[in-house]
Amino acid sequence: MVDHQQLMRVYGALMWSLGKVMNTPEVARVYIGSFWDQPLHFDMNRRLFELEEMDLFNDIQTLPRNAVLRKLNDLIKRARLAKVHAYIVTHLRAQMPSLFGKDSKKKELIATLGDTFEQLQRQHQISMGDFPDIKHMQEQLEFHDFSKFQPMKPKLIETVDKMLADEIAKLMARIPREETERADSSAVKGGAFDSYKESPFGIGKGEGIDRGHDEKEWVVGQEQYKYDEIFSTLNPVNGKITGAAAKSEMVKSRLPNTILGKVWKLSDIDKDGMLDSDEFALAMHLISVKLEGHDLPNELPAHLVPPSKR
């Protein structure tokens, strides 16, 4: 059986190997899962598989919405490449002799194509990433007569520059708005995408912040008696404790201040800078959820709001 540490080593080795064989600027995304249909030997892996499955489904659902952006990026790449090709063939054409020595000059220009790239980069302030693969272009140039290349048309270059500077920017500005408008209609639906969250065995169901979602009683109330004992030792005044008193107990969890600050924001429901017994119990519950390895929400779910605050 593969434990959590060994699984991470396999994952790292796979990512390194993919980087060698996949010639893409994007980092390859690998999803970890298991086809094992028997009880898991390592419960930590179960949580990892569930999170990876959720990421996979979410990424698949965003494919339609990201299609426009991918096409636009491809258009930009092609436009820059066409512009660079125009500069290259124009330079090669200008270097060719009028009558004699064309073959020898052609061989020389192909051999020194790297120098040509550097010269054009300095002359026109072009990123080296926009230039084609030098070896591939050298192979292709063997079959062409440089003297028959068409001269560059400055107006076309100006049109491309205007498109990249103005038109593309306008299209990019429209994408976020269009994505928001189409968010519901463009998502992949049906099959696993509709059912994997509905079942009690769905990812995160009944765990962490979702625990008690389907229960009538306030889930925090199950252990409130313990929190009330701690609350009474913090010198409450008129049924409430100060932020300093709450902090003295909350820091015992050793969670970062950023997390404890989020816990305080979620727990101080009436925003009076103090906590009553229900709010303090809620804060301790959220700390317990975080210590179990679950994420905290940005907004407090309705089922965690104390009955006295509803």
Side-chain angles (χ1 to χ4, degrees):
M1 295 293 104
V2 179
D3 61 20
H4 192 73
Q5 183 179 15
Q6 291 172 328
L7 189 61
M8 290 296 98
R9 289 176 180 173
V10 172
Y11 177 83
L14 180 59
M15 290 290 293
W16 183 86
S17 299
L18 288 176
K20 294 291 184 180
V21 298
M22 297 182 65
N23 187 23
T24 60
E26 298 86 5
V27 178
R29 178 67 167 92
V30 176
Y31 300 92
I32 301 176
S34 174
F35 294 101
W36 180 257
D37 61 354
Q38 302 298 320
L40 295 175
H41 291 263
F42 304 99
D43 191 64
M44 184 180 295
N45 288 348
R46 179 182 65 85
R47 178 65 178 168
L48 175 63
F49 295 155
E50 290 178 349
L51 293 176
E52 289 288 287
E53 180 182 354
M54 183 170 60
D55 284 349
L56 175 60
F57 280 3
N58 289 337
D59 288 346
I60 292 176
Q61 287 183 308
T62 60
L63 286 177
R65 298 199 297 269
N66 291 337
V68 175
L69 185 58
R70 291 196 302 272
K71 291 178 180 179
L72 188 57
N73 288 334
D74 188 57
L75 173 62
I76 296 172
K77 181 180 178 180
R78 288 177 177 270
R80 289 177 174 174
L81 188 60
K83 178 181 174 182
V84 172
H85 270 79
Y87 283 128
I88 294 173
V89 298
T90 299
H91 176 83
L92 296 177
R93 181 178 185 273
Q95 299 300 314
M96 291 298 291
S98 302
L99 298 174
F100 305 106
K102 291 185 177 181
D103 289 340
S104 59
K105 187 62 176 178
K106 175 181 176 179
K107 293 180 180 179
E108 178 187 344
L109 290 172
I110 292 177
T112 59
L113 189 60
D115 296 335
T116 300
F117 283 9
E118 293 180 359
Q119 179 182 344
L120 294 175
Q121 180 194 18
R122 294 191 299 269
Q123 182 178 350
H124 300 286
Q125 302 298 314
I126 304 173
S127 171
M128 284 302 295
D130 293 337
F131 282 87
D133 181 73
I134 185 170
K135 291 184 178 180
H136 179 70
M137 189 161 192
Q138 286 174 329
E139 294 174 356
Q140 296 299 314
L141 288 175
E142 293 283 354
F143 306 102
H144 295 276
D145 184 353
F146 294 0
S147 61
K148 293 184 179 180
F149 284 156
Q150 294 295 321
M152 185 174 65
K153 299 179 181 179
K155 289 187 178 180
L156 292 179
I157 297 297
E158 292 177 3
T159 301
V160 173
D161 288 338
K162 182 179 179 181
M163 179 196 70
L164 293 173
D166 300 331
E167 303 301 327
I168 294 296
K170 293 179 181 178
L171 290 175
M172 292 292 287
R174 292 181 59 184
I175 288 178
R177 182 170 63 253
E178 292 179 353
E179 295 300 326
T180 302
E181 294 172 354
R182 296 187 302 162
D184 294 334
S185 61
S186 62
V188 179
K189 298 180 180 180
F193 296 99
D194 288 340
S195 61
Y196 85 104
K197 291 183 179 179
E198 298 173 359
S199 162
F201 300 96
I203 298 171
K205 287 294 185 178
E207 300 178 355
I209 208 68
D210 189 70
R211 187 160 63 91
H213 176 75
D214 297 327
E215 299 178 10
K216 294 182 179 180
E217 300 294 332
W218 187 40
V219 65
V220 181
Q222 298 174 3
E223 297 183 340
Q224 188 168 4
Y225 69 93
K226 297 190 303 183
Y227 304 140
D228 286 346
E229 292 179 1
I230 300 174
F231 182 81
S232 62
T233 65
L234 299 177
N235 301 320
V237 177
N238 296 326
K240 292 189 175 185
I241 59 174
T242 63
K247 178 180 178 181
S248 65
E249 182 64 30
M250 293 168 63
V251 295
K252 294 179 181 179
S253 65
R254 298 186 179 181
L255 288 173
N257 287 337
T258 53
I259 300 298
L260 293 178
K262 189 172 186 178
V263 170
W264 174 270
K265 183 178 179 180
L266 293 171
S267 303
D268 186 15
I269 297 175
D270 50 17
K271 309 302 179 185
D272 63 351
M274 305 180 74
L275 299 181
D276 60 24
S277 59
D278 287 346
E279 291 174 326
F280 178 75
L282 175 60
M284 300 304 292
H285 175 77
L286 293 175
I287 288 175
S288 176
V289 168
K290 185 61 181 177
L291 290 176
E292 290 173 358
H294 302 282
D295 292 331
L296 297 179
N298 293 324
E299 296 183 2
L300 189 68
H303 71 278
L304 287 183
V305 177
S308 60
K309 305 293 182 181
R310 297 175 184 174

